Amino acid sequence: MNTSSIQEVLYNAEYPDLILMGITSQFNSSPKVGDIIITDWQSASLLKASMIKPVITTIEKALILKKLGRLQGVDIPSLQNGLIRIIGNN
């Protein structure tokens, strides 16, 4: 899994789309199932404390204007665990 999106390198080579999850700074202190709190948001180059929303979508790579940040350290396994909570591991 790379840290700029949630898909594998092989997927990137085969498809013109990115698989994304939204990030928001609008959340309360009691996360819901699937919410992933970004603990090291400063190192990820985010402007505020943020959360990854449990919604998965795709978008054409050509429509991406710029990258705003990149998950670091402990937040990468948190994303992986959050994906398992959302879609399961069966």
Side-chain angles (χ1 to χ4, degrees):
M1 179 174 292
N2 77 39
T3 57
S4 61
S5 56
I6 65 171
Q7 74 263 8
E8 290 285 342
V9 173
L10 290 176
Y11 179 93
N12 271 338
E14 298 277 330
Y15 292 94
D17 298 325
L18 292 174
I19 301 170
L20 305 171
M21 295 176 76
I23 296 176
T24 183
S25 61
Q26 303 296 311
F27 64 97
N28 62 39
S29 60
S30 56
K32 297 179 179 130
V33 173
D35 290 346
I36 304 159
I37 305 300
I38 300 172
T39 57
D40 196 3
W41 57 271
Q42 297 96 335
S43 293
S45 299
L46 299 172
L47 300 176
K48 297 180 179 181
S50 298
M51 171 190 85
I52 301 170
K53 298 176 359 175
V55 178
I56 301 170
T57 191
T58 62
I59 189 169
E60 286 183 51
K61 291 176 188 175
L63 296 175
I64 301 295
L65 301 176
K66 66 180 177 177
K67 179 170 53 173
L68 298 176
R70 174 174 269 195
L71 290 182
Q72 302 293 317
V74 68
D75 291 314
I76 296 169
S78 293
L79 171 60
Q80 292 169 329
N81 291 332
L83 285 168
I84 290 168
R85 284 193 304 275
I86 296 167
I87 61 174
N89 62 354
N90 297 343

PDB file of all heavy atoms in Angstrom, residues 33-55:
ATOM      1  N   VAL A  33     -17.641   4.231  13.792  1.00  0.00           N
ATOM      2  CA  VAL A  33     -17.015   3.060  13.183  1.00  0.00           C
ATOM      3  C   VAL A  33     -16.467   3.438  11.812  1.00  0.00           C
ATOM      4  O   VAL A  33     -17.164   4.025  10.998  1.00  0.00           O
ATOM      5  CB  VAL A  33     -18.029   1.905  13.041  1.00  0.00           C
ATOM      6  CG1 VAL A  33     -17.434   0.757  12.251  1.00  0.00           C
ATOM      7  CG2 VAL A  33     -18.493   1.436  14.406  1.00  0.00           C
ATOM      8  N   GLY A  34     -15.201   3.124  11.586  1.00  0.00           N
ATOM      9  CA  GLY A  34     -14.569   3.405  10.310  1.00  0.00           C
ATOM     10  C   GLY A  34     -13.844   4.725  10.233  1.00  0.00           C
ATOM     11  O   GLY A  34     -13.027   4.929   9.343  1.00  0.00           O
ATOM     12  N   ASP A  35     -14.139   5.669  11.137  1.00  0.00           N
ATOM     13  CA  ASP A  35     -13.403   6.934  11.170  1.00  0.00           C
ATOM     14  C   ASP A  35     -11.959   6.658  11.580  1.00  0.00           C
ATOM     15  O   ASP A  35     -11.712   5.874  12.490  1.00  0.00           O
ATOM     16  CB  ASP A  35     -14.012   7.914  12.175  1.00  0.00           C
ATOM     17  CG  ASP A  35     -15.367   8.455  11.750  1.00  0.00           C
ATOM     18  OD1 ASP A  35     -15.732   8.287  10.567  1.00  0.00           O
ATOM     19  OD2 ASP A  35     -16.044   9.061  12.600  1.00  0.00           O
ATOM     20  N   ILE A  36     -11.015   7.282  10.904  1.00  0.00           N
ATOM     21  CA  ILE A  36      -9.601   7.062  11.200  1.00  0.00           C
ATOM     22  C   ILE A  36      -8.982   8.405  11.559  1.00  0.00           C
ATOM     23  O   ILE A  36      -8.817   9.278  10.701  1.00  0.00           O
ATOM     24  CB  ILE A  36      -8.876   6.447   9.984  1.00  0.00           C
ATOM     25  CG1 ILE A  36      -9.576   5.151   9.565  1.00  0.00           C
ATOM     26  CG2 ILE A  36      -7.398   6.232  10.288  1.00  0.00           C
ATOM     27  CD1 ILE A  36      -9.292   4.736   8.141  1.00  0.00           C
ATOM     28  N   ILE A  37      -8.684   8.604  12.830  1.00  0.00           N
ATOM     29  CA  ILE A  37      -8.072   9.848  13.283  1.00  0.00           C
ATOM     30  C   ILE A  37      -6.603   9.862  12.850  1.00  0.00           C
ATOM     31  O   ILE A  37      -5.877   8.902  13.087  1.00  0.00           O
ATOM     32  CB  ILE A  37      -8.173   9.995  14.823  1.00  0.00           C
ATOM     33  CG1 ILE A  37      -9.631   9.884  15.286  1.00  0.00           C
ATOM     34  CG2 ILE A  37      -7.533  11.296  15.281  1.00  0.00           C
ATOM     35  CD1 ILE A  37     -10.570  10.923  14.715  1.00  0.00           C
ATOM     36  N   ILE A  38      -6.181  10.939  12.229  1.00  0.00           N
ATOM     37  CA  ILE A  38      -4.785  11.094  11.810  1.00  0.00           C
ATOM     38  C   ILE A  38      -4.043  11.696  12.992  1.00  0.00           C
ATOM     39  O   ILE A  38      -4.244  12.869  13.325  1.00  0.00           O
ATOM     40  CB  ILE A  38      -4.665  11.973  10.555  1.00  0.00           C
ATOM     41  CG1 ILE A  38      -5.444  11.342   9.401  1.00  0.00           C
ATOM     42  CG2 ILE A  38      -3.193  12.170  10.186  1.00  0.00           C
ATOM     43  CD1 ILE A  38      -5.550  12.210   8.169  1.00  0.00           C
ATOM     44  N   THR A  39      -3.202  10.909  13.647  1.00  0.00           N
ATOM     45  CA  THR A  39      -2.541  11.378  14.864  1.00  0.00           C
ATOM     46  C   THR A  39      -1.352  12.287  14.577  1.00  0.00           C
ATOM     47  O   THR A  39      -1.082  13.207  15.334  1.00  0.00           O
ATOM     48  CB  THR A  39      -2.088  10.199  15.743  1.00  0.00           C
ATOM     49  OG1 THR A  39      -1.231   9.360  14.990  1.00  0.00           O
ATOM     50  CG2 THR A  39      -3.282   9.401  16.237  1.00  0.00           C
ATOM     51  N   ASP A  40      -0.662  12.042  13.478  1.00  0.00           N
ATOM     52  CA  ASP A  40       0.509  12.855  13.138  1.00  0.00           C
ATOM     53  C   ASP A  40       0.186  13.755  11.946  1.00  0.00           C
ATOM     54  O   ASP A  40       0.858  13.728  10.921  1.00  0.00           O
ATOM     55  CB  ASP A  40       1.704  11.939  12.832  1.00  0.00           C
ATOM     56  CG  ASP A  40       3.029  12.687  12.852  1.00  0.00           C
ATOM     57  OD1 ASP A  40       3.039  13.907  13.150  1.00  0.00           O
ATOM     58  OD2 ASP A  40       4.057  12.068  12.542  1.00  0.00           O
ATOM     59  N   TRP A  41      -0.860  14.556  12.095  1.00  0.00           N
ATOM     60  CA  TRP A  41      -1.328  15.389  10.988  1.00  0.00           C
ATOM     61  C   TRP A  41      -0.318  16.465  10.584  1.00  0.00           C
ATOM     62  O   TRP A  41      -0.242  16.848   9.423  1.00  0.00           O
ATOM     63  CB  TRP A  41      -2.692  15.996  11.306  1.00  0.00           C
ATOM     64  CG  TRP A  41      -2.759  16.817  12.559  1.00  0.00           C
ATOM     65  CD1 TRP A  41      -3.050  16.365  13.817  1.00  0.00           C
ATOM     66  CD2 TRP A  41      -2.522  18.213  12.675  1.00  0.00           C
ATOM     67  NE1 TRP A  41      -3.008  17.402  14.708  1.00  0.00           N
ATOM     68  CE2 TRP A  41      -2.687  18.566  14.036  1.00  0.00           C
ATOM     69  CE3 TRP A  41      -2.204  19.218  11.769  1.00  0.00           C
ATOM     70  CZ2 TRP A  41      -2.546  19.862  14.502  1.00  0.00           C
ATOM     71  CZ3 TRP A  41      -2.060  20.517  12.236  1.00  0.00           C
ATOM     72  CH2 TRP A  41      -2.227  20.823  13.590  1.00  0.00           C
ATOM     73  N   GLN A  42       0.503  16.923  11.521  1.00  0.00           N
ATOM     74  CA  GLN A  42       1.517  17.920  11.175  1.00  0.00           C
ATOM     75  C   GLN A  42       2.548  17.335  10.210  1.00  0.00           C
ATOM     76  O   GLN A  42       2.888  17.963   9.202  1.00  0.00           O
ATOM     77  CB  GLN A  42       2.230  18.465  12.420  1.00  0.00           C
ATOM     78  CG  GLN A  42       1.343  19.204  13.386  1.00  0.00           C
ATOM     79  CD  GLN A  42       0.847  18.315  14.522  1.00  0.00           C
ATOM     80  OE1 GLN A  42       0.759  17.090  14.406  1.00  0.00           O
ATOM     81  NE2 GLN A  42       0.492  18.935  15.639  1.00  0.00           N
ATOM     82  N   SER A  43       3.045  16.131  10.489  1.00  0.00           N
ATOM     83  CA  SER A  43       4.020  15.483   9.607  1.00  0.00           C
ATOM     84  C   SER A  43       3.410  15.116   8.259  1.00  0.00           C
ATOM     85  O   SER A  43       4.132  14.987   7.272  1.00  0.00           O
ATOM     86  CB  SER A  43       4.589  14.230  10.259  1.00  0.00           C
ATOM     87  OG  SER A  43       5.362  14.577  11.383  1.00  0.00           O
ATOM     88  N   ALA A  44       2.104  14.949   8.218  1.00  0.00           N
ATOM     89  CA  ALA A  44       1.414  14.651   6.965  1.00  0.00           C
ATOM     90  C   ALA A  44       1.191  15.912   6.131  1.00  0.00           C
ATOM     91  O   ALA A  44       0.610  15.860   5.060  1.00  0.00           O
ATOM     92  CB  ALA A  44       0.077  13.970   7.254  1.00  0.00           C
ATOM     93  N   SER A  45       1.641  17.064   6.642  1.00  0.00           N
ATOM     94  CA  SER A  45       1.495  18.370   5.980  1.00  0.00           C
ATOM     95  C   SER A  45       0.048  18.848   5.905  1.00  0.00           C
ATOM     96  O   SER A  45      -0.321  19.590   4.997  1.00  0.00           O
ATOM     97  CB  SER A  45       2.111  18.354   4.582  1.00  0.00           C
ATOM     98  OG  SER A  45       3.480  18.077   4.654  1.00  0.00           O
ATOM     99  N   LEU A  46      -0.772  18.423   6.874  1.00  0.00           N
ATOM    100  CA  LEU A  46      -2.141  18.907   6.940  1.00  0.00           C
ATOM    101  C   LEU A  46      -2.180  20.165   7.799  1.00  0.00           C
ATOM    102  O   LEU A  46      -1.344  20.354   8.681  1.00  0.00           O
ATOM    103  CB  LEU A  46      -3.049  17.820   7.511  1.00  0.00           C
ATOM    104  CG  LEU A  46      -3.099  16.540   6.672  1.00  0.00           C
ATOM    105  CD1 LEU A  46      -3.872  15.464   7.415  1.00  0.00           C
ATOM    106  CD2 LEU A  46      -3.702  16.808   5.310  1.00  0.00           C
ATOM    107  N   LEU A  47      -3.149  21.036   7.543  1.00  0.00           N
ATOM    108  CA  LEU A  47      -3.229  22.319   8.240  1.00  0.00           C
ATOM    109  C   LEU A  47      -3.840  22.218   9.634  1.00  0.00           C
ATOM    110  O   LEU A  47      -3.562  23.052  10.489  1.00  0.00           O
ATOM    111  CB  LEU A  47      -4.030  23.319   7.402  1.00  0.00           C
ATOM    112  CG  LEU A  47      -3.451  23.622   6.025  1.00  0.00           C
ATOM    113  CD1 LEU A  47      -4.394  24.554   5.262  1.00  0.00           C
ATOM    114  CD2 LEU A  47      -2.064  24.234   6.146  1.00  0.00           C
ATOM    115  N   LYS A  48      -4.687  21.207   9.846  1.00  0.00           N
ATOM    116  CA  LYS A  48      -5.395  21.039  11.120  1.00  0.00           C
ATOM    117  C   LYS A  48      -5.460  19.557  11.468  1.00  0.00           C
ATOM    118  O   LYS A  48      -5.262  18.699  10.617  1.00  0.00           O
ATOM    119  CB  LYS A  48      -6.837  21.547  11.010  1.00  0.00           C
ATOM    120  CG  LYS A  48      -6.996  23.002  10.734  1.00  0.00           C
ATOM    121  CD  LYS A  48      -8.485  23.310  10.649  1.00  0.00           C
ATOM    122  CE  LYS A  48      -8.726  24.781  10.404  1.00  0.00           C
ATOM    123  NZ  LYS A  48     -10.161  25.067  10.346  1.00  0.00           N
ATOM    124  N   ALA A  49      -5.813  19.282  12.723  1.00  0.00           N
ATOM    125  CA  ALA A  49      -6.103  17.903  13.115  1.00  0.00           C
ATOM    126  C   ALA A  49      -7.186  17.379  12.171  1.00  0.00           C
ATOM    127  O   ALA A  49      -8.162  18.083  11.888  1.00  0.00           O
ATOM    128  CB  ALA A  49      -6.571  17.850  14.558  1.00  0.00           C
ATOM    129  N   SER A  50      -7.001  16.168  11.680  1.00  0.00           N
ATOM    130  CA  SER A  50      -7.888  15.665  10.640  1.00  0.00           C
ATOM    131  C   SER A  50      -8.236  14.198  10.850  1.00  0.00           C
ATOM    132  O   SER A  50      -7.612  13.502  11.637  1.00  0.00           O
ATOM    133  CB  SER A  50      -7.223  15.828   9.262  1.00  0.00           C
ATOM    134  OG  SER A  50      -6.979  17.181   8.975  1.00  0.00           O
ATOM    135  N   MET A  51      -9.227  13.758  10.083  1.00  0.00           N
ATOM    136  CA  MET A  51      -9.727  12.399  10.146  1.00  0.00           C
ATOM    137  C   MET A  51      -9.971  11.907   8.725  1.00  0.00           C
ATOM    138  O   MET A  51     -10.389  12.680   7.862  1.00  0.00           O
ATOM    139  CB  MET A  51     -11.037  12.399  10.920  1.00  0.00           C
ATOM    140  CG  MET A  51     -11.793  11.108  10.905  1.00  0.00           C
ATOM    141  SD  MET A  51     -13.454  11.303  11.595  1.00  0.00           S
ATOM    142  CE  MET A  51     -14.344  11.853  10.154  1.00  0.00           C
ATOM    143  N   ILE A  52      -9.691  10.625   8.488  1.00  0.00           N
ATOM    144  CA  ILE A  52     -10.025   9.997   7.215  1.00  0.00           C
ATOM    145  C   ILE A  52     -11.443   9.467   7.336  1.00  0.00           C
ATOM    146  O   ILE A  52     -11.773   8.729   8.261  1.00  0.00           O
ATOM    147  CB  ILE A  52      -9.046   8.857   6.886  1.00  0.00           C
ATOM    148  CG1 ILE A  52      -7.619   9.396   6.818  1.00  0.00           C
ATOM    149  CG2 ILE A  52      -9.444   8.174   5.576  1.00  0.00           C
ATOM    150  CD1 ILE A  52      -6.552   8.322   6.733  1.00  0.00           C
ATOM    151  N   LYS A  53     -12.281   9.854   6.386  1.00  0.00           N
ATOM    152  CA  LYS A  53     -13.676   9.417   6.396  1.00  0.00           C
ATOM    153  C   LYS A  53     -13.794   8.008   5.824  1.00  0.00           C
ATOM    154  O   LYS A  53     -13.057   7.638   4.924  1.00  0.00           O
ATOM    155  CB  LYS A  53     -14.527  10.401   5.581  1.00  0.00           C
ATOM    156  CG  LYS A  53     -14.484  11.774   6.176  1.00  0.00           C
ATOM    157  CD  LYS A  53     -15.195  12.889   5.448  1.00  0.00           C
ATOM    158  CE  LYS A  53     -15.881  12.634   4.184  1.00  0.00           C
ATOM    159  NZ  LYS A  53     -16.623  13.785   3.663  1.00  0.00           N
ATOM    160  N   PRO A  54     -14.730   7.202   6.331  1.00  0.00           N
ATOM    161  CA  PRO A  54     -14.863   5.811   5.897  1.00  0.00           C
ATOM    162  C   PRO A  54     -15.641   5.676   4.589  1.00  0.00           C
ATOM    163  O   PRO A  54     -16.558   4.874   4.463  1.00  0.00           O
ATOM    164  CB  PRO A  54     -15.598   5.151   7.062  1.00  0.00           C
ATOM    165  CG  PRO A  54     -16.446   6.241   7.602  1.00  0.00           C
ATOM    166  CD  PRO A  54     -15.624   7.495   7.447  1.00  0.00           C
ATOM    167  N   VAL A  55     -15.271   6.477   3.609  1.00  0.00           N
ATOM    168  CA  VAL A  55     -15.915   6.451   2.300  1.00  0.00           C
ATOM    169  C   VAL A  55     -14.823   6.279   1.251  1.00  0.00           C
ATOM    170  O   VAL A  55     -13.871   7.054   1.218  1.00  0.00           O
ATOM    171  CB  VAL A  55     -16.704   7.751   2.041  1.00  0.00           C
ATOM    172  CG1 VAL A  55     -17.317   7.744   0.660  1.00  0.00           C
ATOM    173  CG2 VAL A  55     -17.767   7.966   3.112  1.00  0.00           C
TER     174      VAL A  55
END
